[in-house]
């Protein structure tokens, strides 16, 4: 099929309708997964470390913690009160902490398995919706903000499921991820929805597959790193309060004791951001090459180009801060949040509120 035939091709309305049905079906299953994740957090046990610390030091202070007598084969054994350490020691292995399914609790495991199974089903439905959307217009399924949004959430869930398949301890990510996906899809089908249509001639290029696909994947990984960073800040404050002799509220304790240690969350977010940063660099370079082919210049200070570079600088500052003495921990985490905010504005703010060459799709 030549370019003229492609431009003249009419969208397949039947496939477009099937795509919409699949997206709405995925939203319904994601909602069920949300309730299952909530049940895992509410009815599953606290993490192993949190339960052990609570049993051995009920008042959170060494002076008030008695020895504990436990049943053993053929008699009893007395465990002396240990020193409870909430932060991971530098160079030590990460503590396998997390919500219900990671805590070895039978009820938590059940709800956790149901939640993950529903998330897998919703992912398959949403992937089917993205695929049929692509088939309906015979092009890459990210030609406007609606298509970008449904593809972005699909990739984000895919990253989560791949990490789960690799047996990474990220059960804690399920609830915030599914919540965000529901918000993203709700915004996509109500505010951002655009009927299937062909692209403008300048966008008919193989660079559409390369540049935009890498941008979507980078955004999905940046999002997972963002969630880990946010939870790190909460968990770090909780651990600091405990170390200073404070007593957090029951709700905060119930939620935060289901998370990994602050050090584990911090390391996880840093590794994700550091691993994906080179691909984000490639995304900007690929965009510049595509701009040279489409518009005859590699850089034109277009708002999208500028904010992509600002996002790159922000993440570069974060990674540099992590390697600089005195800027690790919370200070570096704030930089990571600023960097993701730049990425978010680059997507929503620039596309909706700023006029430029990249505002081709409308909303």
């Amino acid at each position: 099929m030549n370019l003229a035939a492609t431009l003249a091709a009419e969208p397949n309305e039947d496939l477009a309708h099937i795509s919409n049905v699949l997206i709405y079906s995925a939203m319904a299953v994601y909602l069920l997964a949300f309730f299952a994740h909530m049940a895992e957090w509410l009815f599953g046990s606290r993490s192993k470390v949190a339960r052990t610390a609570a049993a051995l030091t009920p008042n959170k202070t060494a002076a008030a913690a008695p020895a504990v007598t436990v049943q053993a084969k053929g008699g009893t054994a007395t465990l002396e009160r240990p020193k409870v350490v909430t932060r991971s020691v530098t160079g030590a292995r990460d503590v396998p902490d997390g919500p219900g399914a990671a805590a070895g609790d039978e009820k938590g495991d059940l709800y956790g398995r149901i939640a993950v199974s529903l998330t897998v089903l919703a992912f398959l439905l949403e992937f089917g919706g993205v695929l049929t959307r692509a088939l309906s217009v015979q092009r890459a399924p990210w030609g406007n903000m609606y298509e970008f949004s449904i593809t972005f959430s699909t990739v984000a869930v895919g990253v989560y499921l791949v990490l789960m398949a690799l047996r990474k301890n990220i059960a804690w990510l399920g609830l915030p991820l599914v919540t965000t996906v529901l918000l993203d899809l709700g915004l996509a089908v109500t505010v951002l929805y655009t009927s299937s249509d062909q692209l403008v001639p300048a966008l008919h290029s193989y660079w559409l597959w390369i540049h935009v696909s890498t941008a979507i994947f980078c955004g999905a990984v940046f999002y997972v790193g963002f969630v880990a960073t946010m939870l790190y800040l909460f968990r770090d404050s909780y651990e600091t309060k405990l170390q200073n002799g404070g007593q957090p509220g029951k709700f905060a304790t119930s939620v935060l004791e289901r998370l990994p240690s602050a050090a584990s969350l911090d390391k996880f977010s840093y590794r994700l951001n550091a691993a994906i940063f080179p691909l984000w660099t490639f995304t900007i370079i690929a965009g510049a090459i595509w701009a040279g082919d489409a518009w005859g210049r590699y850089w034109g200070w277009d708002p999208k180009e500028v904010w992509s570079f600002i996002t790159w600088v922000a993440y570069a500052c974060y990674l540099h801060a992590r390697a600089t003495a005195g800027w690790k921990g919370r200070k570096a985490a704030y930089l990571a949040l600023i960097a993701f905010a730049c990425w978010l504005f680059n997507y929503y703010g620039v596309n909706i509120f700023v006029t430029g060459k990249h505002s081709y799709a409308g909303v």
Side-chain angles (χ1 to χ4, degrees):
M1 181 179 292
N2 56 34
L3 178 60
T6 302
L7 293 175
E10 291 294 330
N12 188 314
E13 296 298 334
D14 292 335
L15 286 176
H17 177 69
I18 293 174
S19 173
N20 294 339
V21 171
L22 289 172
I23 293 299
Y24 278 103
S25 300
M27 292 177 64
V29 180
Y30 276 129
L31 183 61
L32 295 177
F34 168 80
F35 288 123
H37 281 294
M38 283 291 294
E40 179 188 14
W41 279 66
L42 291 174
F43 302 116
S45 71
R46 292 175 297 172
S47 65
K48 290 180 179 178
V49 171
R51 286 186 286 120
T52 302
L56 297 178
T57 57
N59 295 322
K60 305 295 183 182
T61 60
V68 178
T69 301
V70 297
Q71 295 292 331
K73 291 184 179 180
T76 60
T78 301
L79 299 180
E80 296 297 330
R81 181 188 70 248
K83 178 182 179 182
V84 178
V85 179
T86 57
R87 294 177 184 268
S88 296
V89 180
T90 302
R93 295 179 59 187
D94 293 342
V95 177
D97 236 352
D105 175 80
E106 183 177 356
K107 185 181 291 186
D109 283 344
L110 174 62
Y111 288 124
R113 288 193 297 269
I114 293 174
V116 173
S117 299
L118 289 171
T119 303
V120 171
L121 176 59
F123 167 78
L124 294 176
L125 289 170
E126 189 179 10
F127 178 79
V130 173
L131 180 61
T132 50
R133 176 78 175 197
L135 294 175
S136 71
V137 288
Q138 300 179 25
R139 59 165 172 79
W142 40 74
N144 51 59
M145 288 188 66
Y146 167 74
E147 295 173 354
F148 192 100
S149 293
I150 62 175
T151 306
F152 169 78
S153 57
T154 303
V155 174
V157 176
V159 170
Y160 164 71
L161 293 177
V162 167
L163 291 174
M164 289 286 288
L166 295 175
R167 300 187 181 278
K168 301 297 182 182
N169 177 38
I170 57 166
W172 48 269
L173 181 61
L175 180 59
L177 174 66
V178 170
T179 303
T180 306
V181 168
L182 281 171
L183 294 174
D184 175 73
L185 291 179
L187 182 64
V189 300
T190 56
V191 178
L192 304 177
Y193 182 77
T194 304
S195 300
S196 299
D197 203 355
Q198 293 298 331
L199 301 176
V200 297
L203 299 179
H204 280 278
S205 170
Y206 59 87
W207 284 107
L208 175 67
W209 292 90
I210 299 173
H211 171 64
V212 183
S213 63
T214 54
I216 292 173
F217 181 70
C218 289
V221 178
F222 281 147
Y223 164 73
V224 174
F226 160 76
V227 172
T229 301
M230 285 290 296
L231 295 178
Y232 155 74
L233 291 172
F234 286 112
R235 174 75 190 199
D236 183 68
S237 297
Y238 170 78
E239 293 179 1
T240 301
K241 190 169 186 178
L242 286 179
Q243 286 188 336
N244 293 334
Q247 183 64 45
K250 290 184 178 180
F251 177 78
T253 299
S254 176
V255 172
L256 295 174
E257 284 188 347
R258 288 171 164 81
L259 294 175
S261 65
S264 297
L265 288 168
D266 184 42
K267 185 184 297 183
F268 177 75
S269 62
Y270 168 68
R271 287 175 174 174
L272 281 181
N273 290 326
I276 206 64
F277 181 74
L279 188 59
W280 180 249
T281 304
F282 169 78
T283 301
I284 297 176
I285 296 173
I289 296 173
W290 187 14
D293 291 342
W295 299 314
R297 89 295 186 275
Y298 296 102
W299 185 268
W301 297 102
D302 184 78
K304 178 69 72 172
E305 297 169 351
V306 172
W307 274 98
S308 295
F309 181 68
I310 290 175
T311 303
W312 184 90
V313 171
Y315 274 106
C317 290
Y318 162 72
L319 295 176
H320 177 71
R322 285 296 305 247
T324 303
W327 273 89
K328 295 181 180 180
R330 298 184 69 88
K331 291 181 179 179
Y334 292 139
L335 288 178
L337 298 185
I338 293 173
F340 184 75
C342 291
W343 185 92
L344 208 59
F345 180 78
N346 187 33
Y347 171 52
Y348 285 107
V350 173
N351 283 5
I352 297 176
F353 302 111
V354 181
T355 301
K357 286 184 175 293
H358 286 80
S359 301
Y360 56 85
V363 289

